[in-house]
Amino acid sequence: MKSFTARIGLGGASKKEKLPTIATGSVPKQGSQSGQPVSPKISSPLRSPVRRNADTSPESALLHVRPEPQKWIVGKQYPVIPGELFYMSIRNEEKLRELQDWQKANGVNVDRVFFTTDGDLQYFPFCADFGPMNFGMTFRFIQMLNQKVEDARRQGKKVVYYTSADPAERTNAATLVCAYLVI
């Protein structure tokens, strides 16, 4: 049997260099008894044997546990820009108005400015789709949100962009917030 080593080469290299080995094995000589080709053994860390004495410490177990996906909670304020901009969806806008009126009547220091575009920016569907908004609407939203964030920053408040709990409205609003972060 002849032994061989396959090497990775760079196309067009002018001088011979020692390159890393990627496969080793043996090929039968001409006229061998079996005549069957022998496939090379690939040395790869992915094909390493399973360790029987694996680390079973609690710390190693924590590394392999996936966190549970976070459920969407209607009415919870999710930070978009921590300390400045939050996003939330609500089922009933009347409850939000009642809360704001109660805070004003009882002299509670309000540190948040609530704002929505549900009635202002509308998507006109082609068929049964629900979004995303066209670029003109997206640009209007970015200008509106920039103005709200600047005004709130001057007053020392935070902005909460909210939308209805309808999945289509919520998706479009989240897309607009993402576009605000990118653009």
Side-chain angles (χ1 to χ4, degrees):
M1 294 252 179
K2 288 184 182 177
S3 65
F4 72 93
T5 301
R7 299 191 184 276
I8 300 174
L10 301 173
S14 59
K15 60 182 182 176
K16 292 186 179 180
E17 301 174 9
K18 289 197 171 194
L19 299 171
T21 302
I22 61 164
T24 59
S26 60
V27 178
K29 293 181 180 178
Q30 292 287 350
S32 71
Q33 294 175 359
S34 68
Q36 296 293 325
V38 177
S39 61
K41 295 177 184 175
I42 305 293
S43 58
S44 167
L46 299 176
R47 292 186 150 200
S48 62
V50 178
R51 294 182 197 162
R52 299 286 181 217
N53 297 328
D55 185 14
T56 57
S57 66
E59 293 83 16
S60 69
L62 290 175
L63 296 175
H64 301 291
V65 176
R66 285 188 184 173
E68 288 290 319
Q70 186 177 0
K71 290 186 179 181
W72 182 263
I73 300 170
V74 175
K76 182 178 178 184
Q77 296 176 9
Y78 292 93
V80 177
I81 300 173
E84 286 188 33
L85 178 62
F86 296 85
Y87 172 77
M88 79 174 198
S89 65
I90 57 173
R91 284 194 186 99
N92 189 354
E93 197 170 341
E94 298 298 321
K95 298 278 184 186
L96 180 63
R97 299 288 176 227
E98 287 176 19
L99 175 66
Q100 289 174 331
D101 292 341
W102 181 86
Q103 288 175 336
K104 287 178 185 175
N106 293 321
V108 176
N109 186 17
V110 180
D111 69 337
R112 302 194 194 273
V113 175
F114 291 88
F115 125 90
T116 187
T117 58
D118 284 350
D120 299 333
L121 303 177
Q122 294 181 355
Y123 176 74
F124 299 105
F126 291 107
C127 188
D129 58 337
F130 58 86
M133 300 280 182
N134 64 35
F135 193 69
M137 294 289 186
T138 304
F139 184 74
R140 278 185 53 203
F141 171 78
I142 290 170
Q143 287 182 322
M144 290 168 58
L145 189 56
N146 265 337
Q147 188 64 43
K148 290 286 185 183
V149 169
E150 287 175 18
D151 291 345
R153 192 179 295 145
R154 273 189 245 117
Q155 298 171 2
K157 296 183 178 185
K158 301 166 186 151
V159 175
V160 179
Y161 174 62
Y162 69 93
T163 186
S164 70
D166 176 50
E169 292 284 336
R170 216 169 39 191
T171 303
N172 283 336
T175 304
L176 288 172
V177 169
C178 290
Y180 171 78
L181 292 174
V182 171
I183 297 174

